[in-house]
Amino acid sequence: MIINRSGDSTVNIEWNADDYTSNFNFVYGYGEAVTELLTVPQRALVIDLGCGNGTLTKKLSEKGYRVMGVDASADMIASARERYPELSFVRADALAFELEEKADAIFSNAVFHWIDAGKQQQLLQHIASQLKPGGELVFEFGGKGCAETVHAELKRVFDGHGLAYPRVFYFPSIGEYAPLMEKAGFRIHYAVLFDRPTEQKNENGLEEWIRMFVKKPFEGMEKGLADEIIAETVQRLRPQLFMNGKWYVDYVRIRMRAVKVK
């Protein structure tokens, strides 16, 4: 297999691989259930698109698949290679990777919402081009309303400081995403949108979540102001999201399985 590494990253975030692995392992922990949607046989070629630190790539390999992990983040690919040296990991962009052998399935967890809304059709069409006819696309990412309590409060705090809060995340409904899938040549076999309140690991969990996942709105901001905005947001959200000594973020997920039309 050969991967074409060309193309700038379409993902709206730069990752801290160590922090991701230590404090946000729920991302790939929940993703293990998504792997159960795959129906391709053992020894099928499965691409883990947006593989992160490789944890789910390893899970896929344990199911008997031939696997390759693909991620745009150099830090994540380095972490994955260190953790699982027996597996293949390649740094490449979701809109630019090219497979010498077309895949039997492409799997992706918690990735698509980081890609601009205007590039979603291009993403799906490119994925289809890298699948065999009849190949599967299985994925989960943030759905309509995901973390809206946090984002809405951040917007109010930004507004109070005379600042704009850009919404760089893409959280669609099934009704919004299904037509894009069909236009790209997929037949949808399974689709669900569901709430999944997600516990954060530490007592400062909401602050850490904001610092990890909400980077773009704070780019170029003076550190003192950023700290003030985050602290104010956390204080305002404590009555809603801090329960029984733990922080929760109001996740909503969209999960699908589709097949490339032969």
Side-chain angles (χ1 to χ4, degrees):
M1 283 181 289
I2 297 175
I3 289 282
N4 180 346
R5 297 175 175 82
S6 65
D8 295 330
S9 174
T10 59
V11 179
N12 291 317
I13 194 167
E14 291 294 328
W15 294 104
N16 180 319
D18 291 338
D19 195 19
Y20 176 89
T21 299
S22 298
N23 295 326
F24 301 97
N25 53 11
F26 65 81
V27 176
Y28 47 86
Y30 281 110
E32 189 170 350
V34 188
T35 68
E36 300 298 326
L37 290 178
L38 289 163
T39 68
V40 292
Q42 289 191 347
R43 300 303 301 160
L45 174 59
V46 178
I47 305 302
D48 184 3
L49 185 60
C51 63
N53 64 12
T55 299
L56 290 176
T57 320
K58 178 64 173 176
K59 295 293 183 182
L60 291 168
S61 74
E62 291 172 348
K63 291 178 177 289
Y65 301 133
R66 292 181 294 131
V67 298
M68 173 179 283
V70 177
D71 203 288
S73 166
D75 285 348
M76 285 297 192
I77 288 295
S79 176
R81 287 171 176 165
E82 182 178 357
R83 290 161 62 89
Y84 308 109
E86 74 279 11
L87 301 181
S88 177
F89 296 97
V90 178
R91 185 187 181 194
D93 188 82
L95 272 67
F97 72 99
E98 298 286 342
L99 301 174
E100 185 178 71
E101 176 188 356
K102 300 302 184 186
D104 296 291
I106 293 179
F107 169 87
S108 187
N109 179 61
V111 175
F112 290 1
H113 53 249
W114 296 109
I115 296 175
D116 290 343
K119 294 181 179 178
Q120 291 289 327
Q121 189 69 70
Q122 182 184 353
L123 168 70
L124 293 171
Q125 289 176 186
H126 183 69
I127 288 173
S129 76
Q130 300 307 302
L131 280 168
K132 296 175 182 176
E136 292 183 347
L137 172 59
V138 169
F139 61 83
E140 181 181 297
F141 67 100
K144 195 172 188 69
C146 187
E148 181 58 26
T149 301
V150 182
H151 293 303
E153 195 61 55
L154 278 165
K155 182 182 185 305
R156 282 189 283 269
V157 176
F158 269 64
D159 287 346
H161 287 267
L163 300 170
Y165 181 72
R167 297 289 191 119
V168 299
F169 313 97
Y170 177 66
F171 297 139
S173 67
I174 292 173
E176 291 167 335
Y177 211 63
L180 304 184
M181 297 280 293
E182 292 172 347
K183 186 176 180 180
F186 289 102
R187 181 182 179 187
I188 298 168
H189 286 207
Y190 175 84
V192 62
L193 183 77
F194 61 97
D195 295 323
R196 195 197 70 201
T198 301
E199 179 186 328
Q200 302 305 297
K201 192 169 185 178
N202 300 316
E203 62 183 19
N204 295 322
L206 182 57
E207 176 185 344
E208 293 175 358
W209 187 92
I210 293 170
R211 292 187 186 278
M212 184 66 175
F213 295 116
V214 189
K215 294 183 182 294
K216 284 286 183 181
F218 292 96
E219 282 185 352
M221 187 181 295
E222 192 271 328
K223 182 180 181 302
L225 177 57
D227 291 345
E228 180 182 347
I229 287 174
I230 292 172
E232 185 176 347
T233 302
V234 169
Q235 181 181 12
R236 289 187 180 191
L237 288 176
R238 181 173 289 272
Q240 296 167 263
L241 299 181
F242 191 72
M243 295 170 279
N244 300 318
K246 296 179 179 179
W247 284 101
Y248 292 82
V249 176
D250 55 325
Y251 274 36
V252 179
R253 312 311 277 174
I254 185 169
R255 184 182 292 183
M256 287 190 177
R257 174 183 174 270
V259 173
K260 179 179 175 179
V261 178
K262 296 182 180 180

